[in-house]
Amino acid sequence: MVQLVRGSVGMGLAVGLAALPVAAQSMALPAADPVGISRSGAQVAYGYSLEAAALNPALLASLKEKGGFYLAAGLEMSSTQQSLESEQTSVRNSYFSYDRNRTLGAFGLAARLSPKLTLGLKLDEPYLRHGRLLDKAPSRYLGDGIDLSARRLEGQSAWAFSPNLSVGLGLGVARLSYDSSNVMRLNVPNDPSLPASGANAVNGLVEQRVGQSGDKVVPSYSLGVRWAINPRWTLGFAHQSGLKGDLDLKAEYRAVPLGYYANDGLSTAPLGAAARATILLAGSTPTAGSATLELPSQTTFGVRHRLTPMMTWEADLKWTSAGLRVPGFATVATPSGTVSAPAELPRGKSHLGLGLSAEVELGKFWTLRGGLALDQRSVEEASAEPLLGGTRTAAFSFGAGYKVWGGEISLGYQYRQSEDQDTRRLTGDWSARGFDPTPVNRVRMEGMGHLMALGFKKTF
């Protein structure tokens, strides 16, 4: 039986590796605590680890101590770059801009009530995506800003059928937050308070950023199983529910107009265009787009092997569903009609991910950790754009733990590098006739990011 299980595990991992031509990216975070980050999230079968129980609640039953807790805080930094081939220019966002960085927080708690039942509580952030393009980015008309996050709080329970077999359940809520912005050009007639017509001709354009934001609390759940085949081999299974809600979005103008142009969209604006544009904007109403935000579910199968008394490794195969959908961009209702973005952000696609981690115990005080994560493309290649990303990416991580003060201080770091991608669908000219794509212009998209956290765990 054990040989059959081992053979099935090996075959499953081989199939997963064959399905991953190169590394890939998604907006899912591997973890929000330093231990999970340093393992690149590969830990659903990692027994005796309170941090791993955030992904698989069944692992609560494997804890050696009667209880414990951990607290963690961290930072996510990312950067994007767009290079326009026709002009040989690049537009890059800085790591140290506020719009390119977000803080992270995590918390975990466990208490064994009986030899069979262990309860827990977790706070984590399963999804995070944010970005702000510069004012002159080639793709600004297709969306120039996004800020998406999910903060999840779940009560957990684990039931041990035996020392080797346990199941777990987590129930709770997640707070979804979403903000997006896009740049549009509005036609400015000679009389901006009236609709454009033959007698009220358009005489210039104004470029304006419009944004929307909202949040929603939605239910969430997680399921898990842990089976220790023997002291060296352990299998784990975990399912994290998708998150979906209709947000209460509010739309507004963002800052001052970005520029004024003639009807061709390129030349200098005619005299008086700025004053007329001010009247036009005052008489127009920003309106939020569609309200539904949906984040995908994740299902993970993992195998852990204690190679030596000092070293343990784990391999996880993760399936992410196709349930990624973000709200449509805000629009502006003007006296001449509604103006909207030329395109919406793409829907997600289901994809596989592979995670590998290793942990080495050095004496009584030090523990070293490392990990690797590969994911397939999370959006169709023909729909790729810089805000949601979704191109293939590799992630590498490392970290360390030091036992002190009756607990352990841990530090974790992960570097993520997206695959460069060339596309011809991001650029266009916006004149008085509307948006006109320019598919002859090729744009190269690049992205990278850093994830780091510091935490303390105490057992009792």
Side-chain angles (χ1 to χ4, degrees), residues 359-428:
E359 188 165 296
V360 179
E361 297 180 6
L362 299 179
K364 297 181 179 180
F365 298 101
W366 285 98
T367 301
L368 302 182
R369 304 179 178 98
L372 163 70
L374 309 172
D375 292 293
Q376 290 178 320
R377 178 181 295 279
S378 59
V379 300
E380 296 291 348
E381 184 174 4
S383 303
E385 48 70 54
L387 292 188
L388 283 184
T391 60
R392 296 177 293 189
T393 301
F396 308 91
S397 61
F398 62 87
Y402 181 72
K403 292 180 173 60
V404 66
W405 302 326
E408 183 182 67
I409 294 178
S410 296
L411 177 68
Y413 167 81
Q414 185 185 66
Y415 172 74
R416 297 196 277 180
Q417 175 69 59
S418 299
E419 178 190 39
D420 296 348
Q421 177 169 316
D422 293 337
T423 180
R424 298 181 184 273
R425 58 174 297 272
L426 294 182
T427 61

Side-chain angles (χ1 to χ4, degrees), residues 246-294:
D246 290 336
L247 311 183
D248 183 20
L249 294 174
K250 300 291 189 299
E252 61 184 359
Y253 295 129
R254 295 283 169 88
V256 298
L258 301 177
Y260 307 94
Y261 302 88
N263 286 1
D264 61 5
L266 301 171
S267 305
T268 302
L271 187 65
R276 293 195 304 273
T278 300
I279 298 174
L280 175 72
L281 293 173
S284 302
T285 305
T287 304
S290 58
T292 301
L293 173 61
E294 183 176 1

Side-chain angles (χ1 to χ4, degrees), residues 25-29 126-129 148 295 324 378 388 416:
Q25 165 148 351
S26 86
M27 66 178 64
L29 297 181
Y127 291 98
L128 179 65
R129 183 74 183 180
L148 183 157
L295 301 175
L324 171 61
S378 59
L388 283 184
R416 297 196 277 180

